[in-house]
Amino acid sequence: MSAFVSGVGAAAAAAFTAKSACGRSAAVEVWSRRAGLSWIGDRVAASSGRASARRGAACSSAAAVRVKMSAAQGECALGALPVFAQTMLRVSDPEASRNFYEKQLGMRFLTQLDFEDLEFSLLFFAYTNDTPVDPSLSQTERAQWLWTRPYPTVELTHNWGSNDAYHNGNTPPTGYVGLGVLAHDAAAAFRRLKAEGVAVEREPGASQDAPACVRDPDGYLVELHQNSATESPAMSTSSGTAAAAAAESNGLVGRDAVYASTTMRVMDAKKSIEFYERLGMKYLGAVENQAAGFTAHYLGYTDAPSFRELNADAPQEELASWLSSRRFWTLVLREEVSKPEGGYHNGNTDPRGYGHIGITIEKLYDSVGKLKDAGVGIKREPGPFKDAGEIAFALDPDGYFIELIQRRDVALSSPYVHPPS
């Protein structure tokens, strides 16, 4: 929900933007077999005089850090079964954005919440077979319905009367990266979107490291990942009845699409991973992209084994393929070789764009108390917001906003996995 952050102008807490003390190591990789997890350190030029002094400390402490993180997973500050609820993006033209997410990406429009006194609206979309909530219900009832959904949504915020050109986070000041969609046939999906006139950020490459990428009407990036658990008959061509049927089921993306990821840049991956594990996420592994100069670390709400728990001796290169067959949302933390001196931009001061991620939880007030005891910055104390429920906002180590939403009247037995269609 963007109720709090749609007009926020305060800067993120400086205490959460410190640089990594490990600096940039020279492609050092340390495996923690005990934890069943991997760690890929930062890079430094091998010729740097600082590299050798820091590398020993990084290598000797990385395994201990990973074991500590793994042990901490059972100490979730957010209680039982937190649910990733949303990624919020500000948009300038809600009709154009709805056409993109509903008709072209093929998500289902769930509902719209309007706040007349604050002059903004929220629109929610998801890959789901759920029947959208009855629009004749009160806004309170529709909001409560939303907060019981077990699956991820995209939340679009429209500030009335604003024609602002929003910032997608990928030019200075950088921060947010984009969304990821898992497609049954990513190549065919890309061709259909391109033919429809959707803006292209990047043509598909030859590997999972270089997926096709398109832009929504406000310039936010959406990567199209091939589901490695399915064969892709359209890697060469896709036409005729089969292509039409595929496009009909999930817009131009085709059937069995999954909202798979939200990616943001971080200054210190170790610190960020530990933070999100405290929120109950599980560390799944890391993929290093040497050509692009970054390492991507994956976390998610899942009780499934991590890649290393399943494949202790498998080559690290296989992780990307394994990740692209997961059917649950993942948070991707990108640590780049080159980092801005002042830290990353959280999107909630000018130039605005990305707003936050949101998580629904069972005990809002208790959870915020635990986070405060752990030294986590709280941007908004827990409490009611208008007729849309009870919320709070926390800050992650880079100052990104995390909305915490009270979830009521639903008993979840396991983390969400997108069902096959």
Side-chain angles (χ1 to χ4, degrees), residues 9 11 19-20 60 81-82 98 116 125 158 172 188 204 232 248 280 291 361 399:
K19 284 191 175 182
S20 167
S60 63
L81 292 174
R98 179 168 178 173
E116 293 188 13
F125 302 83
H158 176 237
S232 181
E248 184 179 357
I361 57 180

Side-chain angles (χ1 to χ4, degrees), residues 67-82:
V67 172
K68 177 182 176 183
M69 289 180 179
S70 181
Q73 282 184 316
E75 304 167 4
C76 174
L78 302 188
L81 292 174

